[in-house]
Amino acid sequence: MRKKLPVIIGICIFVYIGIFLIIMVGTHSLPSYVYENEKLIAKDLNSFNKINYRGYVKDGITTVTCEKMTGMEIVWNYNAPEDMTMQMNYTLQVTRGKAKLVLIQPGKTTVTLVEQSSAADKDAVSDTTSATEQQCTLDLKKGENKIKIVCGKGTSFSLSFDVENNVEI
C-alpha cells in the first residue's frame, strides 16, 4: 500500500497540472480569436487580456482608455421596453491595432457600429491620429441590448461616447 501512495499522488498532481495548463492556454488564447467570431462576440461574456484599462462614466459620457487590449468587453447595456432608436455620439481613436464597437441585440444579433484600425498598423504607436466626434444610430430591439468594444491583438485605444434617446420606431 505504501508503494502505491506515491504513484496515486503523482497521478493526481499530473492531472491537476494538465487541467491547469488547459485552462491557462484557453484563457490566454481565446481573446485573440474573438475579433472575427460573431458567435463569441454575441455571447454574454467578456474575454480579454488588457493592460492599463480605465473606464468611467461622468455626466452621462462613458470614457474608456486602454494601453493594450486583446478581446472584448461590454461598455454599455440598456433594457429597451420596446423597439426604439437612439443616437450615439462617439469618439474612437485607435493608436495601435484594430477595434470595433458592436451592438448586440436580443436574440444575439450583432451589428458592427464602427470599426477602426490604426494608421500605423506596424508595431509603432501613432499618437497623431486625430479623433473627431461622430454619430451613429442604434436600432434597439425590445429587451437587453449591449455595446461591446472588441479589439484585435495588442490594441491601444481611447473611446468616449454618450447615448441619447431619440424617436421610437
Side-chain angles (χ1 to χ4, degrees):
M1 179 67 177
R2 288 184 179 231
K3 291 183 180 183
K4 290 183 181 181
L5 187 60
V7 172
I8 293 172
I9 291 173
I11 290 171
C12 289
I13 290 172
F14 181 74
V15 168
Y16 284 124
I17 289 173
I19 292 170
F20 176 77
L21 289 175
I22 290 169
I23 291 170
M24 290 304 295
V25 167
T27 302
H28 183 69
S29 64
L30 179 61
S32 62
Y33 295 112
V34 167
Y35 195 82
E36 299 297 335
N37 191 326
E38 288 191 28
K39 286 184 181 181
L40 280 176
I41 292 170
K43 291 190 183 255
D44 290 333
L45 61 92
N46 292 321
S47 175
F48 49 76
N49 295 320
K50 57 188 177 182
I51 298 172
N52 290 334
Y53 181 95
R54 292 178 186 86
Y56 61 91
V57 179
K58 183 177 180 184
D59 298 329
I61 299 172
T62 302
T63 303
V64 179
T65 60
C66 190
E67 184 179 314
K68 195 174 186 181
M69 179 172 162
T70 304
M72 63 183 171
E73 181 159 28
I74 298 168
V75 293
W76 182 83
N77 59 39
Y78 181 73
N79 196 3
E82 55 190 3
D83 289 358
M84 59 194 326
T85 299
M86 292 182 146
Q87 191 73 29
M88 181 172 80
N89 303 308
Y90 69 91
T91 303
L92 175 61
Q93 182 177 21
V94 177
T95 52
R96 180 185 349 204
K98 59 185 177 179
K100 60 184 173 182
L101 289 177
V102 178
L103 172 65
I104 301 151
Q105 299 168 326
K108 308 299 182 203
T109 303
T110 61
V111 178
T112 300
L113 302 172
V114 61
E115 188 166 9
Q116 192 177 102
S117 294
S118 67
D121 230 356
K122 313 293 182 237
D123 282 337
V125 175
S126 171
D127 289 328
T128 59
T129 308
S130 63
T132 58
E133 185 172 84
Q134 298 183 24
Q135 292 184 337
C136 69
T137 301
L138 304 177
D139 292 322
L140 305 179
K141 302 297 180 194
K142 182 179 179 178
E144 190 174 18
N145 295 268
K146 301 174 188 172
I147 295 177
K148 284 187 179 183
I149 180 82
V150 183
C151 297
K153 187 173 182 176
T155 298
S156 185
F157 70 92
S158 63
L159 168 66
S160 178
F161 69 92
D162 66 294
V163 179
E164 302 169 355
N165 190 355
N166 277 352
V167 182
E168 294 181 8
I169 298 174

